[in-house]
Amino acid sequence: MRALLLLPALALSLLGAHFYRASAWPLVLACGVVVVLLAWPRRWVARLVQVALLLGTAEWLWTAYLLVQQRLALGQPWQRMALILCAVAAFTAASALVFRSAALRARYSGPSR
């Protein structure tokens, strides 16, 4: 069960590093807070993490789009970069699905208050 929580923690950490590179300090802090919340077994925490991961997926795809446009305008290669960022987006989206496992459903099905 705890091994499954490593996936969303890693995805959120990667997202935090992305925001760190962009100097988006409130978003870096938000990613850190969401990772820490994984330790609190409440239903709303699981939903919050899933929403954060889906928003993170959108951020990775938006970043990929912007960087592809920039590289195309400069005549630089873009395929490998796009593949890597899309893979990170897919990993982030898949990390939201770990909460569908029986073990994590049982852990996070406690009281919602």
Side-chain angles (χ1 to χ4, degrees):
M1 170 180 63
R2 291 185 185 188
L4 285 175
L5 288 177
L6 288 175
L7 296 175
L10 177 60
L12 288 165
S13 297
L14 286 172
L15 193 59
H18 169 69
F19 291 135
Y20 177 80
R21 187 174 186 283
S23 297
W25 303 112
L27 295 174
V28 173
L29 180 64
C31 288
V33 168
V34 173
V35 168
V36 171
L37 280 175
L38 282 170
W40 198 14
R42 298 287 188 264
R43 186 175 307 137
W44 66 268
V45 170
R47 299 301 160 251
L48 176 72
V49 172
Q50 285 179 314
V51 167
L53 290 169
L54 292 177
L55 289 173
T57 299
E59 171 64 22
W60 287 121
L61 292 173
W62 180 248
T63 300
Y65 172 77
L66 291 177
L67 290 176
V68 165
Q69 295 305 309
Q70 181 182 27
R71 287 184 175 220
L72 283 172
L74 296 173
Q76 296 176 338
W78 57 271
Q79 294 90 350
R80 183 175 51 191
M81 182 272 313
L83 180 66
I84 291 169
L85 285 176
C86 287
V88 173
F91 171 72
T92 304
S95 295
L97 296 177
V98 301
F99 293 96
R100 295 181 59 116
S101 72
L104 289 184
R105 268 190 286 166
R107 174 181 166 88
Y108 287 99
S109 67
S112 55
R113 291 186 178 177

